Amino acid sequence: MLWAALLMAVRAIRRNLLRSMLTTLGIVIGVGAVIAMVTLGQGATARVTGEIASLGDNLLVIVPGNAGNKHSGVAGAATPFSLRDADAVAELSEIAAVAPLSGRGVRVVYGAENTATTLQGTTSDFVRVRGWAVPEGRMFHAAEERAGAPLCVLGATVREHLFGTQNPLGASIRISNVSCEVIGVLEEKGQGTFGNDQDDLVLMPLTAYQRRVANSDDVAMMFVSATSSSATPRVQTRITDLLRQRRGIRQGDEDDFVVRDMKEVTSIVESATGVLTALLGAIAAISLLVGGIGIMNIMLVSVTERTREIGIRLAVGARGREVLLQFLVEAVVLSLLGGVLGVGLGLGASWVAARALDVPFVWVPELVALAFAFSAAVGVTFGFFPARKAARMNPIDALRHE
Amino acid sequence: MTAPLVELDGVSRVYGRGDAEVRALEDVDLVIDSGDFVAIMGSSGSGKSTCMNILGCLDVPSSGTYRFRGADVGALSRDQRALLRRHYLGFVFQGFNLLARTSALENVELPLLYRGMPGGERRRRALAALDAVGLADRAKHAPNELSGGQQQRVAIARALVTDPSVILADEPTGNLDSKTSREILEMLRELNTERGITIAMVTHELEMAAFAHRVVRFHDGRVVEDREAA
Ligand SMILES: Nc1ncnc2c1ncn2[C@@H]1O[C@H](COP(=O)(O)OP(=O)(O)OP(=O)(O)O)[C@@H](O)[C@H]1O
Ligand SMILES: [Mg+2]
């Protein structure tokens, strides 16, 4: 009987194909949008968390400013660090490396070529904490750092702009009227999380940067690598205590700096994705509701149109429940059809978008299963009322219906 | 003595209430034995269709009892009456009442579908029924591709395919010319004599009533005449 009802449903839908398609559109769009957004969202999260994980899961970032303050993030508002702060942090236990960092936008010139980029003054620990390789040439030594030697290591983009395919090692380039020697080229990292070009930078020993370019001893931020992932919470506390003391913050006052565990960033991204997912869930619920009402509407029309058919079926011996099943199955087939088309549309669109946005295409089978389950549930819920109306018809009146 | 196939005992059917009350059937007693062929006649509005609906278990009496094979139909549920129709009754209507845009074969298969018969056997029996009404070559045609007479023959095939005890025909020739009407009546008579199917048929024409064994005449909801056919 179920099989027969299925065949009847497919036939009834094919008979009014255009109308059926338009009816399912609500569900198609709803399911499609949610599948596409969630799939893309998962891809973006996977990419961000992947990048953060590639920074190392024991990385801490220290920046001046107050996390709880409205004015936080306004660089320069808070007192910057100094190289001595970095040295003091390096003395703490369970710390593998500390890379102080200070930078600004500059124009670099080599012969007739020039390009705008970011100059970062730092120490050789920078490539260690960031896990950044130097395939050509080398990073500067500790001695060169102390001496403030005018040396530089180029990001792949800067090297490309200034030297093309030429060998840059040993060449002398000019950065803000300081001439310095190229001793290495960083490995290419490509696009960052926010679409920024990570390779568009030049590294210089921090002391050289401070004396020759910035004319100040400020250190804008520090990258700290703990000896292990499990040590990061302890290291975080030690750094906080140390810096509070060094910066003379009284008990009870708030920190004027932030020690951020990159793992936290991962969880922030993940919780942001969670909020997004909940939002999408709400959109899905609304669109399924709208789609369901569309199906109920068309099923009511269909039941009225087919009153005589129902009368004939009742006359030849169909029971109410068999008529109910027929129309219920038809509604479910209709909504599942919408679900299938929606899933196809959503996956197709997100696949295309994932390629265009260069995020991984994350296929979530549970989501697809959920979409089908919900579509079927919508069919049953919104198909029930029209089907019951059909099942309760009086055979005589139904047969007389014009 | 076994119970008669169909037995109406003091049956009335009242439509509406108060001023709008219509007494379509008034204290009708009627017995139809197995194998009978009854023509029901009477002027328009005399209650013939109302009586057929009750005989067909599509409707129930307002008062009185209707026993089908000894069972009190008035005491049955909607679903139980549907099962009675499914297993014992066949219908032929004036307006044919075939499913539109559905082939003759599938129309004839419909009652078997609700009996849960497997597809192969269903098809075989439906084709046999169409063959019996001389329409085997029109099995794939939809109702709108058939003449009125052919449509009524498909409807007869649909009624006989389940081997019912009774076929109820309400003005089966009402929409047909007299030649085609005679063909349809020949067919009903054949079902009655060869297969022993009991037939109750409403008609306005004496010529058609002459095919029956017995004529019952209604007037204002009452049986006013019940005689052997000429
Ligand atoms: N559903 C209904 N509601 C109210 N009154 C009805 C209904 N059906 C029939 N009637 C009334 O019952 C009476 C008998 O109707 P019925 O259809 O049985 O007549 P009939 O003998 O079949 O007439 P005809 O030869 O025109 O088909 C009529 O007066 C009719 O108006
Ligand atoms: Mg009538």
Side-chain angles (χ1 to χ4, degrees):
Chain A
M1 198 63 230
L2 193 67
W3 178 242
L6 208 65
L7 289 180
M8 284 189 262
V10 169
R11 173 180 298 199
I13 288 167
R14 283 211 339 230
R15 191 166 282 169
N16 274 312
L17 197 59
L18 181 64
R19 188 170 90 179
S20 306
M21 288 299 154
L22 291 174
T23 303
T24 59
L25 215 56
I27 291 193
V28 172
I29 292 172
V31 167
V34 170
I35 294 264
M37 300 299 268
V38 171
T39 304
L40 273 181
Q42 293 279 337
T45 314
R47 179 166 153 187
V48 171
T49 51
E51 263 165 26
I52 292 168
S54 80
L55 293 176
D57 56 0
N58 38 14
L59 181 70
L60 298 167
V61 178
I62 313 170
V63 290
N66 189 324
N69 190 312
K70 296 192 266 303
H71 306 295
S72 72
V74 181
T79 324
F81 305 114
S82 70
L83 196 50
R84 286 179 300 284
D85 289 328
D87 288 338
V89 169
E91 294 295 308
L92 296 171
S93 59
E94 292 189 293
I95 282 184
V98 177
L101 206 65
S102 234
R104 62 162 59 169
V106 293
R107 183 156 288 279
V108 288
V109 184
Y110 174 68
E113 307 295 333
N114 76 91
T115 181
T117 184
T118 309
L119 176 66
Q120 295 283 14
T122 187
T123 64
S124 56
D125 275 349
F126 178 76
V127 293
R128 279 178 61 200
V129 294
R130 292 289 312 269
W132 213 332
V134 186
E136 285 178 67
R138 59 177 180 83
M139 193 61 187
F140 21 84
H141 301 311
E144 291 162 345
E145 283 163 30
R146 277 192 300 278
L151 302 173
C152 59
V153 174
L154 306 184
T157 303
V158 178
R159 177 251 168 100
E160 163 76 30
H161 282 164
L162 294 185
F163 294 94
T165 54
Q166 278 178 271
N167 178 13
L169 297 182
S172 177
I173 61 173
R174 291 187 64 77
I175 304 173
S176 302
N177 298 323
V178 177
S179 90
C180 67
E181 185 192 342
V182 178
I183 59 165
V185 177
L186 291 167
E187 166 199 34
E188 187 168 337
K189 284 228 165 174
Q191 230 174 56
T193 312
F194 309 105
N196 52 320
D197 180 359
Q198 301 186 87
D199 300 311
D200 190 8
L201 86 173
V202 174
L203 300 181
M204 180 182 265
L206 180 64
T207 42
Y209 172 81
Q210 288 173 334
R211 274 181 234 149
R212 296 169 197 259
V213 182
N215 293 318
S216 100
D217 287 343
D218 295 349
V219 167
M221 64 190 292
M222 293 183 257
F223 283 151
V224 177
S225 171
T227 50
S228 71
S229 175
S230 60
T232 49
R234 293 192 293 275
V235 169
Q236 204 170 4
T237 322
R238 282 184 202 123
I239 293 173
T240 307
D241 292 345
L242 175 79
L243 289 179
R244 279 182 73 89
Q245 184 199 326
R246 288 184 63 84
R247 291 159 80 85
I249 299 169
R250 273 172 309 187
Q251 194 127 36
D253 283 359
E254 285 184 27
D255 297 346
D256 64 352
F257 60 91
V258 181
V259 183
R260 183 162 288 137
D261 184 348
M262 291 315 277
K263 278 203 296 284
E264 287 170 26
V265 178
T266 312
S267 66
I268 289 168
V269 170
E270 275 164 0
S271 74
T273 317
V275 171
L276 193 73
T277 307
L279 213 69
L280 288 172
I283 294 172
I286 291 169
S287 60
L288 284 179
L289 186 76
V290 172
I293 291 169
I295 283 180
M296 178 148 89
N297 184 33
I298 218 67
M299 288 307 296
L300 282 171
V301 169
S302 179
V303 165
T304 306
E305 277 178 356
R306 286 151 71 190
T307 299
R308 194 188 265 266
E309 173 192 330
I310 294 164
I312 293 168
R313 290 178 184 278
L314 291 170
V316 302
R319 278 173 293 181
R321 71 184 76 151
E322 282 140 349
V323 172
L324 182 100
L325 184 72
Q326 180 191 343
F327 282 93
L328 204 55
V329 165
E330 193 172 317
V332 171
V333 168
L334 210 55
S335 62
L336 268 181
L337 188 73
V340 169
L341 292 177
V343 165
L345 187 81
L347 288 180
S350 55
W351 188 78
V352 170
R355 301 209 88 190
L357 299 174
D358 193 25
V359 299
F361 175 75
V362 182
W363 147 258
V364 192
E366 300 92 321
L367 182 70
V368 173
L370 204 69
F372 287 143
F374 268 96
S375 313
V378 163
V380 172
T381 311
F382 291 92
F384 184 77
F385 177 65
R388 199 186 57 170
K389 187 181 162 193
R392 288 188 171 178
M393 278 183 184
N394 173 345
I396 300 166
D397 296 341
L399 281 168
R400 285 217 190 105
H401 191 265
E402 286 313 308
Chain B
M1 194 192 125
T2 57
L5 183 62
V6 160
E7 187 180 10
L8 294 178
D9 191 358
V11 164
S12 298
R13 179 70 172 93
V14 184
Y15 291 111
R17 298 188 156 273
D19 287 348
E21 187 178 281
V22 177
R23 308 188 70 84
L25 287 182
E26 191 87 74
D27 194 22
V28 171
D29 297 328
L30 183 67
V31 174
I32 301 176
D33 286 312
S34 195
D36 209 346
F37 187 163
V38 181
I40 297 175
M41 301 192 73
S43 56
S44 187
S46 58
K48 306 180 296 294
S49 295
T50 305
C51 182
M52 290 295 268
N53 289 340
I54 289 175
L55 293 178
C57 302
L58 292 166
D59 197 3
V60 286
S62 307
S63 63
T65 49
Y66 168 34
R67 277 185 292 276
F68 184 83
R69 294 163 66 105
D72 182 0
V73 175
L76 300 179
S77 71
R78 227 177 100 91
D79 279 356
Q80 285 170 322
R81 278 185 277 126
L83 292 178
L84 267 189
R85 294 196 292 274
R86 180 183 297 185
H87 292 287
Y88 300 108
L89 299 173
F91 291 89
V92 179
F93 303 95
Q94 177 177 4
F96 318 136
N97 273 334
L98 298 174
L99 294 184
R101 292 184 286 181
T102 305
S103 71
L105 183 66
E106 283 168 301
N107 264 291
V108 177
E109 280 186 38
L110 190 67
L112 301 177
L113 187 76
Y114 289 109
R115 288 188 164 196
M117 189 178 284
E121 195 189 345
R122 211 162 64 208
R123 187 151 296 244
R124 201 176 50 69
R125 285 184 60 167
L127 274 171
L130 278 174
D131 196 37
V133 299
L135 281 179
D137 56 335
R138 294 286 195 278
K140 295 277 175 238
H141 290 237
N144 63 349
E145 298 161 351
L146 297 170
S147 72
Q150 286 170 332
Q151 288 186 56
Q152 197 59 301
R153 277 147 73 184
V154 172
I156 290 173
R158 182 179 64 192
L160 70 85
V161 74
T162 57
D163 268 324
S165 308
V166 187
I167 288 180
L168 298 161
D170 194 344
E171 299 188 43
T173 59
N175 290 2
L176 303 174
D177 64 45
S178 53
K179 179 171 169 288
T180 316
S181 298
R182 277 193 298 275
E183 284 170 19
I184 294 295
L185 261 297
E186 287 290 355
M187 204 162 276
L188 289 175
R189 180 156 69 186
E190 198 180 305
L191 292 178
N192 178 246
T193 53
E194 316 245 307
R195 304 197 187 202
I197 298 175
T198 309
I199 293 176
M201 173 190 70
V202 173
T203 182
H204 285 287
E205 294 154 275
L206 278 171
E207 188 194 351
M208 302 306 151
F211 282 82
H213 303 153
R214 187 177 150 199
V215 176
V216 174
R217 190 175 295 275
F218 277 76
H219 184 72
D220 281 349
R222 292 174 185 275
V223 176
V224 293
E225 187 187 349
D226 189 342
R227 60 167 171 88
E228 296 283 306

